[in-house]
Amino acid sequence: MARADVLARGVNLANWFWYPDRSNPNPYGKRDFALMKRMGITYVRIPIDFSVLYSDTAPNRLNPQALTRLNRAIAQAQAQKLGVVVDLHSTPLIDGSQNNYSASLENPQFRRMFTAFWRSLAAHLHKTTNPDLTFIQPMNEPVFRSDPKAWEPIQQSLFRSIREVAPQHTLIAVSAFWQNISTLVQLQPLPDPNVIYDFHFYEPFIFTHQGASWIGDTFESRLRNVPYPASPNTVQPLAQQVGDPVARAAILDYGQQQWDIHKLRSRIGEAAQWARQNGVTLICTEFGVYAANVSALDRTRWLRDTRTVLEEFGIGWASWGYVDSNFGFAEWQGNQPILDREIVKALGLRLPPRLAKTDVLLGTRLGNVLVGDFRSNRLDGRGGNDILNGVGDSTGRNSVDVLIGGTGRDRFWLGDATMAFYDDGKLDQPGLRDYALLKDFKPGEDTIQLHGNRSQYLLGASPIRRIRGTGIFWDTNGNGALDRQDELIGIVEGTQRLNLGASYFSYTGTG
């Protein structure tokens, strides 16, 4: 197996050596790496802030306590045969900003100190790590906004110094301006053959970073519910709601560009073509979508499409991130891993057998798409803007699903464009053995999705004695009056006054 094959499918592990959680200095451990291995992940990328690992008092310029923790992190990952990218993610954050992780490198005096630091760290990695599983990334997302070309000689000098003390390890080279494709294709490859080239992909930015506060006072930071895929028709409702003319023009332009898997393939294809022309290996160590303000379904689609295109071009990848409050797909509840199943599937990863067979689906605190199956399921979104679909590829017959949205704006699916769920097809029975129980529906925030139109449904008291709430019935005989022939579809627990014409009901397809 070629060394680069280790970098097939990865995740980023933030909040460890980069923006560390002081109350939990070791947030990842053996159980995480064992879970990753079972899921089909092949490597981890460990972002590090310079100030976490640097010491101006240590003879080798390396903080001994932090270095011991890094040694342990690498060893734990590699005990599961996972590769590790040691990623210097930012020069001191206190000297830069959330938008410029390389600001200090524009200072020649700091560059000399930075090079000396990397010589020490690379020499340490040479002595202590397996070069077939350990990859060195000396800088993440250099910016050099005023002169992106100024980064290239800095990188070349840095690589020469590292190579003198780490002759066997593969180094990862990047371009300026946040490692985007436009600067990658202008990069002159280094003469060192043991180098892999890396880009990051967050395009279209208007979608992946909608509502993100750290990108500054931009129109993207104020947007919500930007859709994917995009077309002139899908963006029109949002454009009509936006008052800022610059933002409105950007939304309309986004729709005109028709961002979908074909557009992604065209854009990522530019990077792939550059790699082919130069005979180099290419990876993408970051891609993802900020989850707070986006449809969970659209986020899942974009991740699936991007991962698919990267793999079509043979480009190894790492998603941002794993356990992450803005971009992640995993959490732990005690000793129980909680995975966003649809994100896991979108990334082409495996659900561990024990999790795949359970009929209890827990969401992370980000927005999730939770999808059940033919069994009776309990779906708990916990937090974020969730989509809850209890039936999956089945019809919902002979199953009772419990749907819990948790906090956030949730969408409960009791039907789709093709059918009403939980209809057992028995005209002489009211369907009390198959329905969805909505435990925490909030009319001011949540939505119930039904098949067809409002005239095909009726509301009435819950027919299940132990459950107090409002029943949603399919008007089986179409007489507009609730009777024993009408099919129970769902029960909204605790809610007595609902209106089928209200905005919290939505209808799709035709009955």
Side-chain angles (χ1 to χ4, degrees), residues 287-363:
F287 69 104
V289 180
Y290 179 50
N293 304 296
V294 66
S295 155
L297 187 59
D298 288 356
R299 176 182 178 230
T300 302
R301 288 169 174 157
W302 185 92
L303 288 170
R304 179 200 63 214
D305 288 354
T306 301
R307 187 270 305 174
T308 298
V309 170
L310 290 170
E311 292 181 350
E312 286 175 356
F313 287 116
I315 299 172
W317 53 263
S319 72
W320 186 281
Y322 168 63
V323 175
D324 183 277
S325 60
N326 295 323
F327 289 81
F329 62 86
E331 290 179 10
W332 287 88
Q333 189 175 72
N335 291 320
Q336 170 71 24
I338 302 169
L339 301 174
D340 186 321
R341 293 172 174 233
E342 298 306 306
I343 297 295
V344 170
K345 289 193 289 186
L347 293 175
L349 301 173
R350 298 187 297 266
L351 277 171
R354 183 167 60 87
L355 295 180
K357 293 178 181 178
T358 183
D359 56 3
V360 178
L361 280 69
L362 297 177

Side-chain angles (χ1 to χ4, degrees), residues 71-101:
N71 291 340
R72 186 185 307 117
I74 294 172
Q76 287 182 339
Q78 295 183 350
Q80 295 290 336
K81 306 300 183 186
L82 297 174
V84 174
V85 173
V86 179
D87 157 40
L88 202 292
H89 205 71
S90 52
T91 58
L93 285 170
I94 56 174
D95 295 338
S97 73
Q98 291 179 315
N99 294 320
N100 188 351
Y101 295 147

Side-chain angles (χ1 to χ4, degrees), residues 99-329:
N99 294 320
N100 188 351
Y101 295 147
S102 66
S104 297
L105 282 173
E106 298 182 31
N107 181 328
Q109 182 177 352
F110 178 82
R111 288 202 296 269
R112 289 190 290 271
M113 180 173 64
F114 188 74
T115 301
F117 161 83
W118 255 117
R119 282 184 66 91
S120 292
L121 180 55
H124 173 80
L125 295 172
H126 169 68
K127 294 175 183 177
T128 60
T129 64
N130 178 355
D132 286 332
L133 290 177
T134 311
F135 302 80
I136 297 175
Q137 185 164 26
M139 191 63 224
N140 163 75
E141 293 190 356
V143 179
F144 292 83
R145 188 191 299 266
S146 61
D147 183 12
K149 279 291 184 181
W151 162 244
E152 292 194 38
I154 296 172
Q155 178 167 247
Q156 293 165 3
S157 175
L158 185 59
F159 274 42
R160 285 193 297 269
S161 294
I162 292 173
R163 184 57 78 208
E164 290 174 1
V165 296
Q168 297 177 322
H169 283 69
T170 299
L171 308 184
I172 298 177
V174 303
S175 63
F177 226 67
W178 297 280
Q179 289 179 234
N180 69 38
I181 291 175
S182 297
T183 53
L184 171 75
V185 299
Q186 299 174 29
L187 186 67
Q188 180 65 38
L190 287 87
D192 188 334
N194 193 11
V195 171
I196 290 174
Y197 295 81
D198 181 19
F199 71 100
H200 290 171
F201 193 73
Y202 292 101
E203 298 182 37
F205 198 75
I206 192 174
F207 173 75
T208 65
H209 281 66
Q210 56 185 289
S213 60
W214 66 88
I215 62 176
D217 186 21
T218 65
F219 69 82
E220 291 98 341
S221 70
R222 296 185 291 274
L223 289 177
R224 305 290 187 274
N225 301 314
V226 178
Y228 174 86
S231 69
N233 289 336
T234 60
V235 303
Q236 194 61 233
L238 178 62
Q240 292 174 353
Q241 298 170 16
V242 173
D244 179 358
V246 175
R248 187 186 309 114
I251 292 167
L252 293 172
D253 181 63
Y254 167 60
Q256 288 292 336
Q257 292 185 44
Q258 301 197 40
W259 278 93
D260 58 12
I261 191 170
H262 304 294
K263 181 75 170 179
L264 296 176
R265 187 176 290 115
S266 174
R267 181 61 168 149
I268 294 173
E270 296 176 34
Q273 182 180 14
W274 174 86
R276 285 194 302 272
Q277 290 173 343
N278 288 282
V280 299
T281 300
L282 188 63
I283 58 173
C284 174
T285 61
E286 285 188 30
F287 69 104
V289 180
Y290 179 50
N293 304 296
V294 66
S295 155
L297 187 59
D298 288 356
R299 176 182 178 230
T300 302
R301 288 169 174 157
W302 185 92
L303 288 170
R304 179 200 63 214
D305 288 354
T306 301
R307 187 270 305 174
T308 298
V309 170
L310 290 170
E311 292 181 350
E312 286 175 356
F313 287 116
I315 299 172
W317 53 263
S319 72
W320 186 281
Y322 168 63
V323 175
D324 183 277
S325 60
N326 295 323
F327 289 81
F329 62 86

